[in-house]
Amino acid sequence: MQRHKRRIATALSAVTTSLLLSLSLASTPAHAASHDPIVFVHGLSSDSTTWDDWIADFEADGYSSSELYAISYDWTKSNVTTASTLSTYIKSVLAKTGASKVDLVVHSMGALNSRYYLKNLGGTSYVDDFVSVAGVNHGTSIASLCGWLYTSCKEMQTGSSFITALNSGDETPGSVSYAAYWSDCDAAIDPDTSAELSGATNVDVGCVSHTDMNNDHGVYEQVRNFIS
């Protein structure tokens, strides 16, 4: 009889312990992984939809739609004007998300207005990682074809006053982590190495066309790993 009672007590103890453990786990809320919001900036003759593939990729890799923002802007205007627009946009993203910083992922001419924002508009205080994808960081001779039409395009020309001022001093200011991904067969950036940034992690991704650079999955994976 005594042995039987001990068995019952042991069994009840095990059940109670299991129940308490289950209740403890159930009362602990699940926390989804959070990330810095990403702001995507397009280039010349484009808009926010150029990032649709990468936004879908980031969502597939665990980002929520509330962490991914692609701006559209009037690309015909000066990059100085666009930088101001970008500054306002990033402030709105921070206010909406409650984050203290964003990651900036930019393509082509988007590198110029974004870098102007970082250098001249206090952007380094609000950006954690900056990723330039086929960015026209040191200009391109191709821009001479449209420089007479648009101020933004004129600013992209190699040796322009805008490029010269932007690259004077520190090309990668502040405590931001910088990366520049470039292609060795980019017909829109001449020379190809103009896409590099002094002080950044510079990566030659091989032969990827200019327009494919920001929807290529292999480049995406490298960008995702850099900002994660």
Side-chain angles (χ1 to χ4, degrees):
M1 176 65 73
Q2 190 67 27
R3 181 181 297 176
H4 182 65
K5 288 181 178 179
R6 284 200 300 269
R7 287 179 177 174
I8 292 175
T10 300
L12 286 173
S13 177
V15 170
T16 301
T17 301
S18 178
L19 180 61
L20 289 173
L21 180 59
S22 297
L23 289 172
S24 175
L25 291 174
S27 64
T28 303
H31 294 286
S34 60
H35 316 85
D36 287 334
I38 303 176
V39 173
F40 299 91
V41 185
H42 65 79
L44 187 79
S45 191
S46 188
D47 58 38
S48 62
T49 61
T50 192
W51 297 105
D52 285 354
D53 287 348
W54 278 18
I55 287 175
D57 288 337
F58 273 108
E59 288 180 336
D61 284 336
Y63 278 73
S64 68
S65 59
S66 61
E67 294 172 323
L68 304 167
Y69 298 86
I71 186 175
S72 283
Y73 62 89
D74 185 350
W75 52 266
T76 67
K77 293 183 177 180
S78 168
N79 284 287
V80 176
T81 301
T82 300
S84 180
T85 300
L86 178 61
S87 177
T88 300
Y89 185 81
I90 288 175
K91 287 177 182 177
S92 71
V93 169
L94 293 175
K96 182 177 181 178
T97 61
S100 58
K101 291 187 177 184
V102 302
D103 292 331
L104 264 179
V105 178
V106 309
H107 179 243
S108 194
M109 190 182 74
L112 298 187
N113 46 66
S114 298
R115 289 181 55 215
Y116 188 95
Y117 159 70
L118 289 168
K119 181 172 184 175
N120 300 304
L121 301 181
T124 55
S125 297
Y126 305 106
V127 175
D128 184 21
D129 298 313
F130 173 84
V131 176
S132 168
V133 180
V136 195
N137 289 306
H138 292 92
T140 175
S141 63
I142 306 302
S144 61
L145 300 175
C146 62
W148 62 279
L149 275 174
Y150 308 116
T151 300
S152 58
C153 199
K154 183 177 181 180
E155 290 169 346
M156 287 197 298
Q157 292 181 24
T158 305
S160 72
S161 58
F162 179 89
I163 290 285
T164 300
L166 185 64
N167 291 327
S168 63
D170 190 356
E171 292 185 11
T172 50
S175 59
V176 180
S177 296
Y178 291 85
Y181 296 85
W182 60 281
S183 166
D184 53 28
C185 67
D186 190 334
I189 306 246
D190 180 36
D192 297 331
T193 53
S194 286
E196 292 184 311
L197 269 177
S198 178
T201 298
N202 291 291
V203 182
D204 178 357
V205 300
C207 187
V208 181
S209 75
H210 186 75
T211 54
D212 285 341
M213 278 287 285
N214 65 329
N215 56 37
D216 180 90
H217 192 72
V219 178
Y220 159 76
E221 290 179 328
Q222 295 183 67
V223 171
R224 177 203 61 203
N225 292 341
F226 179 81
I227 68 177
S228 62

